[in-house]
Amino acid sequence: MTEAAELPQAPAEAQAVFGELFPEAVRYAELLADAGVKRGLIGPREVPRLWERHLLNCAVLSEVVPEGVTVCDVGSGAGLPGIPLALVRPDLKITLLEPLLRRTNFLQEVVELLGLDHVTVVRGRAEEVLGTLQPVHVVTARAVAPLDRLAGWGVPLLKPYGEMLALKGDTAEEELKGARAALSKLGVLETEVLKVGEGLVDPLATVVRVVVGESPGGVRFAAKKAKAARTERTRRRR
């Protein structure tokens, strides 16, 4: 069994970011540093930088998420960015979408322990829940896949005129440039690279924002979603 590294004390910025739910953020960090490492959800080398690189980096995504919307965190893994976002934004209704059972078990435990009533854990792949998961205003993701592939999974889950917010690194501009053709086919109308977390994280967090039109995922996915919805309605009537 892998030994968990020692979790450093939370930086002052964490108290400012998480506010009243700072104790819950500390508990989440402790869970990541202990059970998260033991279950193989994060590497032990990540523990010393959990606050700066992971929790705060994800929490500042809230700066670009509209108020009161529905969010699906695709490939949520250990809950990043979904859990930090939920801790700073109780106005959001968040779904943590993750295909692996050991990860969804961990996520469900975290949600219950932290009392996050506005968060739901769903086990599945993005392409599997089309038509059964209600379309959302915002899709979030972090370190899941290259942008073109990520968009293929996340964009079809959006409501018309919704947006996908992907936390990326230094290659964000390059990824976006290479993915433009694929994004266009998926019904994306606008793209931009944003920097968030001024005065809270260093370096600033990089977010790729893509906004869709009235047919998220394009024509092919619209037909697929309609078929999946019909199948689900038929199943429920039985």
Side-chain angles (χ1 to χ4, degrees):
M1 183 177 291
T2 304
E3 290 294 330
E6 185 176 352
L7 177 69
Q9 186 175 353
E13 292 84 356
Q15 184 114 33
V17 170
F18 292 103
E20 293 182 358
L21 290 185
F22 173 68
E24 283 78 6
V26 172
R27 183 68 181 123
Y28 176 50
E30 292 170 345
L31 290 167
L32 286 175
D34 186 6
V37 172
K38 292 174 180 177
R39 298 189 196 183
L41 302 182
I42 66 166
R45 293 182 180 179
E46 295 303 309
V47 173
R49 49 187 183 180
L50 265 178
W51 283 106
E52 288 82 359
R53 181 177 173 131
H54 298 287
L55 273 74
L56 289 173
N57 182 268
C58 291
V60 296
L61 179 64
S62 65
E63 294 178 12
V64 290
V65 178
E67 291 186 11
V69 298
T70 52
V71 178
C72 181
D73 189 31
V74 172
S76 195
L80 301 166
I83 297 292
L85 183 62
L87 287 169
V88 297
R89 294 290 301 276
D91 60 300
L92 304 175
K93 186 175 181 181
I94 300 177
T95 298
L96 306 179
L97 182 63
E98 168 56 46
L100 296 184
L101 180 60
R102 63 186 172 89
R103 293 177 179 171
T104 54
N105 286 342
F106 175 79
L107 292 172
Q108 192 60 51
E109 291 168 17
V110 170
V111 167
E112 292 174 4
L113 280 169
L114 302 185
L116 300 177
D117 297 335
H118 57 305
V119 179
T120 302
V121 179
V122 174
R123 185 184 176 197
R125 299 182 184 278
E127 59 269 31
E128 296 170 347
V129 299
L130 282 175
T132 59
L133 186 70
Q134 286 293 317
V136 296
H137 299 98
V138 177
V139 163
T140 59
R142 179 179 188 251
V144 174
L147 187 59
D148 54 351
R149 201 187 320 160
L150 173 61
W153 299 332
V155 166
L157 300 177
L158 290 169
K159 290 176 176 284
Y161 307 104
E163 58 189 274
M164 184 177 77
L165 300 170
L167 279 161
K168 288 288 184 179
D170 295 337
T171 62
E173 293 279 3
E174 184 179 338
E175 275 197 56
L176 181 56
K177 184 178 179 180
R180 289 197 188 281
L183 293 175
S184 179
K185 289 179 181 178
L186 289 168
V188 172
L189 300 182
E190 301 176 29
T191 63
E192 61 180 328
V193 175
L194 306 170
K195 297 287 187 179
V196 296
E198 182 72 42
L200 299 169
V201 293
D202 184 19
L204 298 179
T206 303
V207 181
V208 176
R209 177 175 179 260
V210 301
V211 182
V212 299
E214 62 182 42
S215 298
V219 176
R220 182 168 63 91
F221 279 100
K224 187 175 181 179
K225 279 195 282 192
K227 181 179 178 181
R230 288 195 299 271
T231 301
E232 179 66 11
R233 286 196 296 269
T234 300
R235 185 187 67 79
R236 288 177 179 175
R237 284 197 293 266
R238 288 175 181 170

